[in-house]
Amino acid sequence: MDASDSALYATLLKEAPGGLAFFDGDLCCRKANDALATLLRVPVRDLQQRRPAEVLPKALATAFETALRTVLAEDRPLSDPDLVVPAAPAERAGEAQAVATATEERILACTWLPARGPGGERLGAVLTALDVTERRRAEEVIRRKEQRYRSLVEASAQVVWVAAPDGGVIDDAPEWRAITGQARDDYDAGGWMAVVHPEDRPRIEAAWRECVAENQVFETNYRIRTKSGTYRHFDVRAVPIRQGDEVIEWVGANTDVTGQREAEEMRGRLTEQLSAAALRTARLQQATSMLAEALTVSQVVQVITEVGRSAIGADYSAVALLDDDKLRLSIVTPSQPGTEAEARPPARDDIKVADQTVMSVAVRESRPFLAEHPDSLRIQLGRDEKELFAQHPEERAWVGLPLLAAGAPIGALRFSFTRPREITEEERVFLEALAGQCALAVERALLFEREHRTAEELQRSLLPSDLPQLPGMVLAARYNPATRHVQVGGDWYDVFRLPDDRLAVAVGDVMGKGVLAAAGMGRVRNALRALALNDPRPAAVLAGLDRLFSATEDEEQFTTVAYAVIDPETGRGAFSNAGHPPPLLISPDAPARVSTREPGTPLGWPSQRQQTSFSIETGNTVVFYSDGLVENRRRGVDAGLEELVATAADAPPEVVGDPERLVDFLVDRMLAGYEQVDDVTVLALHVPPKP
């Protein structure tokens, strides 16, 4: 080589930021630079003149040699697979490179090139390797965030679409096209406006143009033609997404409210029909009020059977719901608890829709089924008396009502009498109204239970599964969701180690219930972790959350956070509070008390965040909690804080010294005699006496 080639070769080996190596046809490494040796955590002297299997971990060596053989055999470059360098044991970290990441697993992006001599003969293969660990981790974080976003969108009942700043189509909306039956070209040409009902279109076009021109929120409702040719009612809300002062796109969400509209229209018609029957109307209103309090399917069934029996004097009742295949009806409950018929078993566990039964006929034909005496039942169903009355021989009259949601059956309601019974027109109208209310309540309860399961799974997945185990500090936590409305909320806590081995502790509360509150809690928790890892100072973290709220959250969102950073070895730390209840301090040598420092404003409210220093002395305990522990409908915050201090003062020494028992003690005592209407979160940190 001439001088320039030699200089180039030497510079590449010494100064190149990535790894370089040459392997001969026998897979032996003839030359490698220091950068590659550092990436592989193997000294250069050990790597050269050896095959990968002689110096590298088994899995890594296998990947190396597989790639080399492929390049040599096929005589082509290879750059697809990444190589994973496993984490090195702590005692080997100094041999590889004395840096903070020496013991971590690393990911290398490798390119293998066939090497040829001047005459074109194959000499071996050249490897170039770059450390892409941080890039891959960042890509994984982005992928997970996208998955969470998609899961939340799929879990909701809304159809999301995106439009250009001028209101035109820019992205496909497969879920929307699945509803409307639009082809991709049709959607690209006319978008959602193409399937708006002709009577609604002029109004919607004018409102949309005005909102786009003035960059205002677009919120309205209209009818949409579906792929079956029918029209359904949708509520829509679209907001402009800004980058600085410029709108870069519009994001909209459509919600199908056909069932609600049809229910409203039906209620209006039935109210007119029942205007002459004051007692029936009062009872129907009573049923509606009771159904508004019923959140689960079992509660709905209990209300319906009670109202139906009291209104028309039915002796037995049952509610059955269709299964997912629409082939069988499953009985939810046969009677009202506390009645004489409560101990009576259901006639059967489930009923085929194809069977000749009162509820099956009502579901198949989507109409009320009335049999005023046994002969009428026998004629309509074509079954003999022995088979008909095998389970309940005392029944002599029957009413079956379909439960319809958006025009489709979801189940059936059944009343029966022990004597022949003629159903008047007034009673029939009442029963149809009752069935309509029942259907709406059942549908709402099913949606509620599904949302509750989704929100609970989301919330619990975002809470820490385990608390850090520390030699000089003991931690314990409890999360009790409210049971009255069977809905989870936005209470949360988090404890994690910082890079300098200090402990970050956070407790927060996002206003609201259900998926939205749980999702908001997840955003705050993840943002707090990210900010803490960058600058863990409490005031800096809360100030960063303020900026996040101002940029991304609704103005009406109300969120509080208490955040502390603690050195577990000394018990010293710093604390900052954004509108959260003050921590409780328990000491064996002094009365229990709550912090008297100003709590500050909730997140997103203009405030100069302050932080204070503190120290948890040996034998002391600090308890963080949410407002559900001290506040309810019968007890204000101030009274609750006084009761909390008194309760802590009554705790026996063996309870105070055991955080697990302490959190249970506080929760049990503070909730005793009160109805829990809000989630309760408690986190205790205790510094035990040194042995």
Side-chain angles (χ1 to χ4, degrees):
M1 295 188 296
D2 59 25
S4 60
D5 291 339
S6 178
L8 175 61
Y9 173 74
T11 301
L12 283 174
L13 285 180
K14 184 176 180 180
E15 304 295 340
L20 296 172
F22 171 73
F23 294 84
D24 62 17
D26 294 327
L27 311 186
C28 182
C29 177
R30 293 301 183 183
K31 192 66 177 178
N33 67 345
D34 291 339
L36 180 63
T38 299
L39 293 175
L40 297 178
R41 302 192 181 102
V42 177
V44 172
R45 63 179 180 275
D46 294 344
L47 185 62
Q48 294 182 146
Q49 309 307 320
R50 294 186 182 181
R51 293 179 57 164
E54 299 178 53
V55 292
L56 298 179
K58 183 176 180 180
L60 182 60
T62 300
F64 253 74
E65 295 192 356
T66 299
L68 282 169
R69 289 191 179 95
T70 301
V71 172
L72 295 173
E74 300 179 8
D75 194 24
R76 65 178 179 84
L78 182 66
S79 59
D80 293 336
D82 286 346
L83 292 183
V84 178
V85 180
E91 62 271 12
R92 290 190 54 197
E95 299 178 12
Q97 183 182 9
V99 294
T101 60
T103 60
E104 296 179 357
E105 178 182 274
R106 311 304 292 174
I107 301 173
L108 306 183
C110 298
T111 301
W112 310 81
L113 304 170
R116 299 181 182 86
E121 68 279 8
R122 274 188 262 177
L123 300 179
V126 173
L127 164 67
T128 64
L130 291 176
D131 188 339
V132 294
T133 305
E134 301 306 324
R135 186 198 311 169
R136 294 292 188 266
R137 289 175 180 171
E139 292 170 353
E140 178 65 15
V141 170
I142 293 173
R143 184 186 65 79
R144 290 180 180 175
K145 288 182 178 179
E146 291 176 347
Q147 286 179 338
R148 286 196 292 269
Y149 170 77
R150 285 194 298 270
S151 298
L152 289 173
V153 171
E154 291 171 1
S156 69
Q158 295 181 325
V159 179
V160 180
W161 49 271
V162 180
D166 62 358
V169 173
I170 55 174
D171 284 339
D172 187 20
E175 294 179 354
W176 178 256
R177 292 195 295 103
I179 295 172
T180 61
Q182 289 178 289
R184 175 64 189 271
D185 293 341
D186 296 335
Y187 181 76
D188 290 341
W192 54 270
M193 192 71 71
V195 289
V196 175
H197 194 287
E199 296 177 1
D200 298 337
R201 191 173 300 163
R203 170 178 62 88
I204 299 303
E205 286 181 337
W208 178 235
R209 284 197 301 268
E210 180 180 354
C211 289
V212 170
E214 299 182 7
N215 294 331
Q216 296 178 344
V217 174
F218 177 67
E219 192 166 12
T220 184
N221 57 76
Y222 46 70
R223 290 166 289 176
I224 288 295
R225 185 183 68 249
T226 66
K227 60 183 178 183
S228 63
T230 60
Y231 283 89
R232 299 188 67 81
H233 292 270
F234 279 82
D235 283 348
V236 61
R237 177 181 172 86
V239 297
I241 305 301
R242 291 180 168 85
Q243 191 173 69
D245 296 332
E246 181 182 358
V247 173
I248 59 174
E249 65 181 10
W250 289 76
V251 175
N254 286 44
T255 305
D256 190 335
V257 295
T258 306
Q260 300 175 20
R261 293 298 182 89
E262 291 178 351
E264 293 170 359
E265 294 173 1
M266 183 182 69
R267 282 197 296 268
R269 291 194 301 268
L270 293 175
T271 300
E272 293 176 2
Q273 295 173 5
L274 295 172
S275 58
L279 180 58
R280 301 288 187 193
T281 303
R283 285 174 173 165
L284 184 60
Q285 291 174 344
Q286 179 189 14
T288 302
S289 177
M290 295 172 67
L291 287 172
E293 296 290 329
L295 297 178
T296 66
V297 175
S298 297
Q299 292 171 347
V300 170
V301 171
Q302 181 177 339
V303 170
I304 287 296
T305 53
E306 178 183 355
V307 173
R309 290 180 182 188
S310 64
I312 63 173
D315 296 294
Y316 306 117
S317 63
V319 174
L321 299 180
L322 277 170
D323 62 10
D324 293 338
D325 297 328
K326 311 296 183 184
L327 298 177
R328 305 185 76 86
L329 287 162
S330 298
I331 295 177
V332 177
T333 181
S335 62
Q336 159 79 17
T339 65
E340 181 181 354
E342 180 180 1
R344 184 183 304 276
R348 59 184 72 185
D349 292 332
D350 54 34
I351 304 169
K352 293 181 180 179
V353 175
D355 286 348
Q356 286 296 96
T357 69
V358 171
M359 289 195 285
S360 299
V361 173
V363 168
R364 285 202 309 269
E365 300 182 8
S366 294
R367 64 171 180 83
F369 178 94
L370 304 177
E372 300 171 348
H373 48 75
D375 289 339
S376 174
L377 182 69
R378 189 178 301 107
I379 292 171
Q380 294 187 69
L381 298 184
R383 303 172 65 184
D384 61 41
E385 185 174 352
K386 181 178 180 181
E387 183 182 0
L388 285 172
F389 307 132
Q391 293 292 333
H392 304 299
E394 67 274 25
E395 293 183 358
R396 289 295 180 268
W398 301 264
V399 176
L401 299 156
L403 302 180
L404 304 176
I410 62 173
L413 175 62
R414 179 183 186 272
F415 296 107
S416 60
F417 308 84
T418 57
R419 64 191 184 284
R421 176 75 152 78
E422 179 182 356
I423 303 299
T424 66
E425 182 62 24
E426 184 183 31
E427 289 174 331
R428 175 178 177 141
V429 171
F430 170 77
L431 289 174
E432 289 184 6
L434 184 63
Q437 294 290 335
C438 179
L440 291 173
V442 167
E443 186 179 37
R444 184 181 67 246
L446 291 172
L447 291 173
F448 175 85
E449 292 175 353
R450 188 180 307 122
E451 178 184 350
H452 169 68
R453 288 192 298 270
T454 301
E456 185 174 28
E457 292 171 1
L458 174 61
Q459 185 175 30
R460 291 196 180 277
S461 69
L462 293 174
L463 292 176
S465 57
D466 296 299
L467 296 175
Q469 300 297 318
L470 305 171
M473 184 174 292
V474 184
L475 295 88
R478 290 290 181 273
Y479 167 70
N480 282 16
T483 56
R484 172 177 171 81
H485 298 296
V486 200
Q487 237 186 352
V488 296
D491 283 18
W492 60 280
Y493 66 89
D494 200 5
V495 182
F496 56 96
R497 280 185 176 276
L498 296 169
D500 58 5
D501 286 335
R502 286 187 298 169
L503 201 65
V505 179
V507 176
D509 187 2
V510 178
M511 179 185 65
K513 299 288 183 184
V515 172
L516 292 179
M521 177 268 286
R523 291 195 298 271
V524 175
R525 175 182 177 271
N526 291 337
L528 185 144
R529 279 207 170 203
L531 291 167
L533 293 175
N534 180 54
D535 184 355
R537 292 175 302 157
V541 170
L542 294 190
L545 291 176
D546 284 333
R547 293 191 297 272
L548 174 69
F549 260 60
S550 299
T552 62
E553 301 294 332
D554 295 334
E555 291 182 359
E556 61 270 21
Q557 181 62 269
F558 190 92
T559 299
T560 63
V561 174
Y563 173 66
V565 175
I566 304 170
D567 186 341
E569 294 185 0
T570 64
R572 296 188 180 90
F575 172 77
S576 190
N577 192 349
H580 204 72
L584 171 68
L585 310 175
I586 304 176
S587 173
D589 304 322
R593 65 192 187 280
V594 294
S595 174
T596 58
R597 296 187 180 276
E598 184 67 27
T601 59
L603 293 181
W605 293 30
S607 174
Q608 182 67 33
R609 296 300 176 189
Q610 303 292 332
Q611 71 181 41
T612 58
S613 299
F614 70 96
S615 177
I616 309 177
E617 303 296 334
T618 299
N620 290 3
T621 303
V622 175
V623 181
F624 299 90
Y625 53 93
S626 62
D627 58 359
L629 184 68
V630 296
E631 183 182 19
N632 54 49
R633 293 174 180 173
R634 294 165 47 201
R635 181 175 63 194
V637 176
D638 293 338
L641 292 175
E642 293 177 2
E643 188 171 340
L644 177 62
V645 171
T647 300
D650 290 340
E654 63 272 15
V655 172
V656 174
D658 185 350
E660 292 286 345
R661 297 176 62 184
L662 177 63
V663 293
D664 288 337
F665 179 89
L666 294 176
V667 171
D668 293 342
R669 291 292 186 91
M670 291 299 294
L671 298 184
Y674 296 98
E675 180 185 23
Q676 184 182 346
V677 296
D678 197 3
D679 297 349
V680 173
T681 300
V682 181
L683 175 65
L685 289 77
H686 174 69
V687 178
K690 297 186 182 300

